[in-house]
């Protein structure tokens, strides 16, 4: 009985979280500048697919394990990297690139773009692109805004740097560290053709992210989904 009550409370908590994020997402689609939110396959013949994306890396507590997991599953993902972390762990950036995954720009210092001066914003975008290019030979074409915050001024600056904003469609609030089973549950409720899943890297989240990624990949595969890299350019 007690377990049933706890389970019910847990489910309710997860539904509230998803509804909150859904509301934020709907609002974002309305007020944020144009960008990519994930979408269904244009070709009806194609198997349904989802996108796995990882933000805030690279990080030694998550990146090597995620790369191993993705390799085991024969799939590719998209990593939105923080410039300062790239400077700290260039070998991890190289490993992501060499494994064939896509690397996007997630700013240099992970600050909300609207709070930066034009000069600071340009530095955040440009220096991250430069360090990724220096390590991998490839310049990112996609930008995921820290905290999901974007504005019109940033759109212009993104364009100048050859970047397109990439948003999300399944964000399980994993940054609040609710535990892997809640992250899995929240994501799986949202999964449909074209879902753009975001999970986060980092030391505090490591166990949760790795466990959740493993189970989400397994469940999506069981449901017949294929995994695609996000590939949009300015
Ligand atoms: Zn982030």
């Amino acid at each position: 009985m007690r377990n049933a009550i706890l389970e019910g409370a847990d489910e309710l908590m997860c539904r509230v979280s998803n509804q909150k994020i859904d509301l934020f997402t709907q609002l974002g689609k309305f007020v944020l500048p144009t960008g990519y939110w994930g979408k269904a396959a244009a070709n009806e013949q194609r198997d349904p697919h989802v996108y796995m994306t990882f933000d805030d890396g690279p990080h030694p507590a998550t990146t090597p394990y995620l790369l191993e997991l993705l390799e085991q599953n024969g799939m590719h993902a998209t990593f939105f990297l923080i410039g300062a972390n790239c400077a700290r762990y260039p070998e991890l950036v190289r490993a992501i690139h060499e494994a064939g995954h896509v690397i996007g720009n997630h700013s240099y210092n992970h600050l909300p773009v609207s709070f930066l001066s034009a000069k600071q914003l340009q530095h955040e975008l440009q220096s991250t692109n430069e360090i990724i290019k220096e390590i991998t030979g490839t310049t990112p074409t996609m930008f995921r805004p820290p905290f999901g915050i974007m504005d019109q001024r940033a759109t212009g600056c993104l364009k100048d740097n050859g970047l397109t904003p990439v948003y999300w469609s399944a964000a399980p609030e994993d940054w609040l560290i609710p535990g892997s089973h809640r992250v899995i549950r929240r994501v799986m409720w949202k999964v449909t053709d074209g879902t753009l899943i975001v999970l986060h890297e980092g030391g505090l989240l490591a166990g949760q992210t790795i466990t959740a990624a493993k189970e989400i990949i397994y469940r999506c595969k069981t449901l017949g989904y294929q995994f695609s890299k996000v590939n949009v350019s300015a």
Side-chain angles (χ1 to χ4, degrees):
M1 180 64 184
R2 190 165 174 271
N3 276 352
I5 292 169
L6 286 176
E7 173 59 22
D10 198 59
E11 180 167 340
L12 183 69
M13 201 178 111
C14 286
R15 291 218 181 268
V16 168
S17 164
N18 267 25
Q19 279 181 5
K20 189 171 67 183
I21 293 292
D22 278 353
L23 198 70
F24 185 61
T25 304
Q26 290 310 321
L27 186 71
K29 283 182 179 173
F30 188 64
V31 301
L32 295 179
T34 313
Y36 184 72
W37 291 92
K39 64 176 177 218
N43 180 355
E44 298 280 318
Q45 303 299 317
R46 192 174 160 184
D47 284 336
H49 66 284
V50 290
Y51 307 100
M52 284 294 281
T53 69
F54 299 100
D55 284 8
D56 296 359
H59 196 285
T62 42
T63 311
Y65 305 97
L66 293 174
L67 290 178
E68 200 182 321
L69 176 68
L70 298 170
E71 192 188 344
Q72 282 166 358
N73 283 279
M75 58 174 279
H76 288 114
T78 307
F79 290 77
F80 288 93
L81 304 182
I82 295 173
N85 290 352
C86 296
R88 228 171 140 194
Y89 310 113
E91 68 288 355
L92 294 178
V93 182
R94 206 169 296 119
I96 295 169
H97 176 73
E98 283 173 0
H101 305 292
V102 174
I103 295 177
N105 182 327
H106 194 40
S107 82
Y108 201 90
N109 293 299
H110 204 272
L111 300 166
V113 298
S114 302
F115 298 168
L116 302 172
S117 70
K119 203 176 157 192
Q120 282 173 321
L121 176 57
Q122 172 60 21
H123 172 76
E124 287 286 316
L125 300 178
Q126 190 183 347
S127 55
T128 305
N129 266 6
E130 280 173 1
I131 192 163
I132 293 170
K133 167 88 192 294
E134 197 182 303
I135 299 168
T136 67
T138 303
T139 306
T141 60
M142 300 183 291
F143 176 74
R144 180 169 267 148
F147 313 103
I149 295 172
M150 265 292 288
D151 57 37
Q152 284 304 340
R153 184 197 59 166
T155 306
C157 198
L158 252 64
K159 250 191 198 136
D160 293 345
N161 286 276
L163 293 164
T164 298
V166 171
Y167 299 111
W168 62 86
S169 57
E173 286 195 306
D174 60 332
W175 55 87
L176 298 176
I177 320 184
S180 53
H181 72 284
R182 294 193 183 105
V183 172
I184 297 160
R185 172 180 256 174
R186 292 171 191 180
V187 168
M188 293 315 297
W189 278 339
K190 295 294 297 176
V191 164
T192 179
D193 192 10
T195 297
L196 181 50
I197 301 166
V198 52
L199 295 179
H200 289 79
E201 294 203 62
L204 291 173
L205 300 158
Q208 173 186 279
T209 295
I210 295 159
T211 305
K214 191 174 173 184
E215 187 63 22
I216 290 165
I217 291 166
Y218 172 75
R219 292 195 195 184
C220 286
K221 277 189 148 184
T222 306
L223 291 169
Y225 288 97
Q226 291 196 344
F227 292 91
S228 300
K229 298 188 256 194
V230 183
N231 188 14
V232 287
S233 48

